Amino acid sequence: MIQVFAFYLFATLCIFSGAVTILARNPVHSVLWLILAFFNAAGLMVLVGAEFIAMLLVIVYVGAVAVLFLFVVMMLDIDFAELRAGFVKNFPLGLALAAVLFVELFVGLIVRGAGSVALGKADGASAQAADASNIEAIGALLYSRYLFLFEAAGIVLLVAMIGAIVLTHRQRSDTRGQNISKQNARRPEEATVNLQPEVGKGVQI
Amino acid sequence: MTEFFMGLGLSYEWAWGIATICGILLIAFPLMLGVAMIIYADRKIWAAMALRKGPNVVGPLGLLQSFADGLKVFLQETIIPSAANKGLFLIAPIITFTVALMAWAVIPFNSGAVLANINVGLLYVLAISSLGVYGVVIAGWSSNSKYPFFSAMRASAQMISYEVSIGFILICVVLWAGTFNLKDIVEAQRDHVWLINGFVANPLLFPMWVMFLISGMAETARAPFDLTEAESELVAGYQTEYSSMAFALYWLGEYANVLLMCALNAVLFWGGYLPPLDIPVLYLVPGVVWLLLKILFFFFIFSWVKATVPRYRYDQLMRLGWKVFLPVSLLFVFLVSGYLMATRYGV
């Protein structure tokens, strides 16, 4: 009973907030609705027993990616007139995209009606028995059967990260950075001098 | 507790529901009371370090000071700036406060006393604590005012930076404990090194604890990392436009978060509800008392640091997070996994 209620709650909120993400005029509101959509999707994951994926969804997408979205979007200077002007220009493109998606959905429904692809049924028969926890099961798969793909994905991400750093890094010669170890290594003897100058005489530094 | 309500003749679903609600209230009410008292303790410790008396007028020894403050704030007018984004402006403090309470669901108070004993407990804590930044960021943006906005920018950059190293530190703990379940992590610390209950006695994990403590201060934006509310630069940071109960919610949420960080220090590195030493006579004291003592001890450290260390400059904060903690924690992930591969699992 409670599962059904929770499912419909999460699913409705997820679809609703997904729709509002597109419909909201203000980009910041869009990002916040997107976060709500992520959150409800995580709730759905918990309901099907994929707690690890749910937590990763929240940590990675809500906790990091959406914060960066928000970071960028918050600094935008929103001009509503300009947004509407772009709407007319991009309308045909959007319409074409919608048509393609609709056709794909339609084809998908026909294929499903034909019943040719034998996917697992939702009766738990094809699912693994729940004697291992989520993390152990995923780990065992990732590090055995999908080891190559896993490591390849890691290398792709590493290269992307290095690429981003190389592209944005610049050496500035006009600013003086702080060298903390040098500061800490400095002793009073080399930084100060104790003099007792005579009256009327200056001090040579 | 579910069995107790089932014994009263309720069906399992109803008994479970009522037991969970009771559990939530059993955690939330003492926590709120604890937050009120810990604010008082914080001010007393801070005052003592500055050779002042601190709050000493309201009630015996000033014990009721927090409640007087709460009443004052409750009776104030809620001011909403006319240029603010009204809905988000009001939601932001609620998010901060709710998130601060949510993470307590998985903290084990005793061997059997945990509200949600889930397998991914540590990930849940990480997920919830990463939500905390939204209360601050939304507040900064929706106030439609300069200083709160700067504060929101700082908060989002700061919390993401320190979450990265916290993630690596937690991986070290998880590798050693072999589980994400917080209760099992506590049990894995039993008699860890020479009768000492706690990963902190482990030479490979002790540096991790020190880094976790410092990162925890940065993550909760406590002094010396309280750049989000640096009064010398940003008035009061993201709270500048807030008044009345909305302001109080930030206040309570902030201290609840600090207590949570103290509890995590205790649970992950100092043996949680276990006594400090694995000696039978110490087990006569209930586990929740040990956990409470550890939380108070860490809170004292937080207050001590707040009272003694000057605030970091922003670039120094970023340097510490990215150039010191990140490489060092990554190195320790490497060392810990290497050591465990060599000893526990065999190469």
Side-chain angles (χ1 to χ4, degrees):
Chain A
M1 221 290 278
I2 188 92
Q3 284 98 330
V4 175
F5 175 72
F7 171 77
Y8 280 112
L9 182 75
F10 289 141
T12 319
L13 274 176
C14 191
I15 293 171
F16 175 74
S17 47
V20 182
T21 306
I22 307 167
L23 295 175
R25 283 279 166 83
N26 193 327
V28 174
H29 291 182
S30 280
V31 174
L32 293 174
W33 283 109
L34 184 67
I35 291 164
L36 192 63
F38 283 146
F39 213 73
N40 283 297
L44 288 174
M45 296 285 186
V46 171
L47 277 186
V48 296
E51 61 220 16
F52 182 62
I53 304 279
M55 289 303 145
L56 282 196
L57 194 68
V58 175
I59 293 172
V60 175
Y61 283 92
V62 180
V65 174
V67 171
L68 293 179
F69 276 1
L70 206 57
F71 197 91
V72 174
V73 160
M74 271 199 316
M75 289 192 280
L76 290 180
D77 187 19
I78 306 152
D79 187 354
F80 290 110
E82 204 174 312
L83 283 178
R84 283 200 204 90
F87 179 74
V88 178
K89 204 180 77 185
N90 292 328
F91 188 67
L93 184 68
L95 211 61
L97 212 62
V100 169
L101 284 177
F102 180 73
V103 168
E104 278 186 352
L105 205 66
F106 201 64
V107 170
L109 279 177
I110 292 170
V111 168
R112 189 180 150 80
S116 55
V117 185
L119 291 172
K121 292 191 188 70
D123 57 356
S126 56
Q128 288 289 324
D131 55 345
S133 78
N134 255 279
I135 302 167
E136 284 168 24
I138 289 178
L141 263 185
L142 272 187
Y143 284 99
S144 58
R145 198 165 148 193
Y146 298 111
L147 181 65
F148 174 72
L149 291 174
F150 182 64
E151 302 213 320
I155 288 173
V156 168
L157 286 175
L158 182 69
V159 170
M161 191 176 81
I162 294 172
I165 293 171
V166 168
L167 283 177
T168 53
H169 184 70
R170 57 180 176 145
Q171 214 84 41
R172 290 183 62 172
S173 53
D174 55 329
T175 57
R176 270 171 30 137
Q178 185 182 18
N179 189 344
I180 289 185
S181 54
K182 199 176 159 191
Q183 284 181 351
N184 285 339
R186 204 164 129 118
R187 298 269 76 88
E189 301 84 59
E190 56 199 75
T192 56
V193 279
N194 219 342
L195 293 176
Q196 291 224 312
E198 290 171 36
V199 178
K201 294 268 174 72
V203 175
Q204 195 77 41
I205 298 173
Chain B
M1 210 187 286
T2 310
E3 287 77 26
F4 171 74
F5 284 108
M6 281 173 84
L8 295 180
L10 290 164
S11 73
Y12 176 78
E13 286 184 355
W14 279 101
W16 182 84
I18 293 173
T20 308
I21 290 170
C22 287
I24 291 171
L25 295 179
L26 267 179
I27 294 174
F29 277 122
L31 181 65
M32 283 297 93
L33 197 66
V35 165
M37 294 323 290
I38 215 79
I39 292 173
Y40 165 78
D42 194 27
R43 295 173 66 173
K44 272 290 190 193
I45 295 168
W46 203 7
M49 299 220 178
L51 297 180
R52 291 183 284 115
K53 278 187 174 169
N56 62 349
V57 174
V58 190
L61 295 171
L63 272 170
L64 299 176
Q65 180 67 47
S66 296
F67 300 102
D69 286 346
L71 190 67
K72 185 201 87 176
V73 158
F74 186 67
L75 295 174
Q76 274 178 340
E77 182 193 354
T78 307
I79 299 166
I80 301 173
S82 54
N85 194 318
K86 200 177 268 178
L88 289 180
F89 186 80
L90 290 175
I91 287 175
I94 300 175
I95 293 177
T96 302
F97 184 71
T98 317
V99 162
L101 289 184
M102 269 166 79
W104 285 87
V106 291
I107 300 290
F109 293 96
N110 209 336
S111 53
V114 49
L115 182 63
N117 191 14
I118 54 177
N119 276 331
V120 287
L122 198 53
L123 285 177
Y124 173 83
V125 170
L126 209 58
I128 295 299
S129 74
S130 67
L131 287 181
V133 70
Y134 283 109
V136 176
V137 171
I138 293 174
W141 183 79
S142 66
S143 297
N144 208 349
S145 165
K146 286 184 208 68
Y147 295 123
F149 188 69
F150 284 138
S151 170
M153 292 274 123
R154 285 184 175 189
S156 50
Q158 175 177 342
M159 289 191 190
I160 287 187
S161 309
Y162 279 85
E163 240 154 51
V164 179
S165 58
I166 283 186
F168 280 126
I169 293 167
L170 295 186
I171 283 177
C172 291
V173 174
V174 166
L175 280 174
W176 213 289
T179 171
F180 275 94
N181 184 319
L182 285 177
K183 187 176 156 294
D184 294 344
I185 289 178
V186 171
E187 289 300 332
Q189 297 176 47
R190 197 185 285 273
D191 192 13
H192 189 60
V193 179
W194 299 317
L195 289 180
I196 300 173
N197 291 328
F199 283 143
V200 73
N202 184 325
L204 271 178
L205 290 176
F206 178 76
M208 294 290 95
W209 168 65
V210 175
M211 282 169 55
F212 185 73
L213 188 71
I214 299 171
S215 301
M217 285 172 195
E219 180 78 3
T220 52
R222 274 285 282 198
F225 304 108
D226 55 345
L227 285 143
T228 52
E229 42 198 284
E231 68 279 347
S232 54
E233 303 152 26
L234 298 180
V235 191
Y238 58 91
Q239 301 168 343
T240 306
E241 306 290 347
Y242 281 91
S243 59
S244 181
M245 274 319 278
F247 175 74
L249 285 182
Y250 273 118
W251 212 23
L252 295 174
E254 203 174 292
Y255 275 91
N257 267 331
V258 171
L259 282 183
L260 178 75
M261 267 302 158
C262 298
L264 280 181
N265 263 299
V267 166
L268 295 175
F269 290 97
W270 286 72
Y273 53 78
L274 298 173
L277 294 173
D278 195 29
I279 299 169
V281 70
L282 289 178
Y283 285 94
L284 293 175
V285 180
V288 64
V289 173
W290 285 120
L291 183 67
L292 207 60
L293 284 176
K294 286 170 186 172
I295 290 176
L296 291 177
F297 171 70
F298 287 116
F299 188 79
F300 179 74
I301 294 184
F302 270 63
S303 291
W304 188 4
V305 169
K306 180 183 174 180
T308 46
V309 182
R311 186 179 291 131
Y312 263 53
R313 215 172 55 202
Y314 194 70
D315 61 315
Q316 291 171 334
L317 175 89
M318 283 294 147
R319 178 185 169 273
L320 185 70
W322 288 106
K323 290 190 176 173
V324 180
F325 280 4
L326 183 62
V328 173
S329 55
L330 203 54
L331 173 74
F332 271 88
V333 170
F334 188 72
L335 288 180
V336 167
S337 46
Y339 177 80
L340 289 177
M341 273 305 273
T343 55
R344 194 187 295 175
Y345 301 108
V347 182

